[in-house]
Amino acid sequence: MTEIKNKFLFTKYPDGAVAIGYILIGLSIISYIQLRIIILSLLILTLALYLAFSHIGILIDQHNRRFKYYESKFGFKTGNWESLKNYPYVSLLSLRQKQTTYSHTNAHNTSRFMTYQVHLLNEKHTVKYILKEFRDKESAEIYLNRFAAEFGLETSVYSPDFS
């Protein structure tokens, strides 16, 4: 029997939205217990479960050398199986990101930071799938090398060829 590994999961929504989902789960339970309003409780629970448990991940079938990049909603995974033969490279991409927050007085605070993403690439580097994101380069490089060795892939510098 082939073993399919469910790896490299991350939430579909930001951490704040996931936290709101968990809070709404509690509110739906409390609303049912205290108010006995089943329809309202079920509506809140549906939204809460969607926010809290929606995620994106990758299923890897090592025996058949294929993967499935999926999006999970309510436990149902959507996506297509693809062969790892068509994606022989992994690459590390460095991205500058910024995040701005605003207060009630419209004062803003902007923070800038680097993220490092490990991507699975096709032959021409025109299609890429993110495997994992890191805040420090050393952890990303360790992960990149481990993933490449585990699946027999080559590390490469991202350089798309659109010709």
Side-chain angles (χ1 to χ4, degrees):
M1 180 173 203
T2 61
E3 179 183 342
I4 296 176
K5 294 183 180 181
N6 192 4
K7 290 189 162 192
F8 321 116
L9 299 175
F10 51 93
T11 59
K12 181 178 177 185
Y13 298 106
D15 293 340
V18 173
I20 289 171
Y22 286 116
I23 291 168
L24 288 175
I25 289 172
L27 285 175
S28 70
I29 293 169
I30 291 170
S31 71
Y32 178 70
I33 292 170
Q34 295 293 321
L35 304 174
R36 300 282 183 200
I37 303 173
I38 194 164
I39 294 173
L40 176 65
S41 300
L42 287 176
L43 287 173
I44 293 172
L45 185 62
T46 303
L47 175 64
L49 291 175
Y50 182 77
L51 287 175
F53 298 114
S54 292
H55 62 272
I56 295 171
I58 188 167
L59 296 172
I60 299 177
D61 182 356
Q62 278 186 298
H63 181 70
N64 293 323
R65 305 238 346 120
R66 62 186 185 145
F67 72 96
K68 179 181 185 177
Y69 198 78
Y70 69 87
E71 187 174 309
S72 177
K73 296 175 188 166
F74 300 109
F76 297 105
K77 296 174 181 156
T78 58
N80 297 319
W81 286 100
E82 296 189 49
S83 174
L84 276 173
K85 293 175 189 171
N86 300 331
Y87 296 87
Y89 302 110
V90 286
S91 182
L92 181 64
L93 279 73
S94 304
L95 301 169
R96 288 188 216 282
Q97 294 188 353
K98 72 177 184 175
Q99 183 175 14
T100 304
T101 56
Y102 293 91
S103 69
H104 291 292
T105 61
N106 209 22
H108 69 278
N109 181 25
T110 301
S111 58
R112 299 179 198 304
F113 53 91
M114 291 290 292
T115 59
Y116 303 92
Q117 297 178 345
V118 177
H119 286 265
L120 186 62
L121 302 172
N122 69 345
E123 189 71 41
K124 289 186 160 193
H125 297 192
T126 54
V127 178
K128 62 184 179 182
Y129 291 105
I130 184 171
L131 298 173
K132 194 147 175 117
E133 184 173 273
F134 296 90
R135 286 286 179 106
D136 64 295
K137 189 173 184 176
E138 295 79 26
S139 298
E141 288 174 341
I142 290 168
Y143 182 84
L144 172 78
N145 293 327
R146 184 178 56 87
F147 185 85
E150 185 177 352
F151 296 102
L153 303 173
E154 187 179 328
T155 59
S156 176
V157 174
Y158 177 65
S159 178
D161 177 16
F162 293 107
S163 61

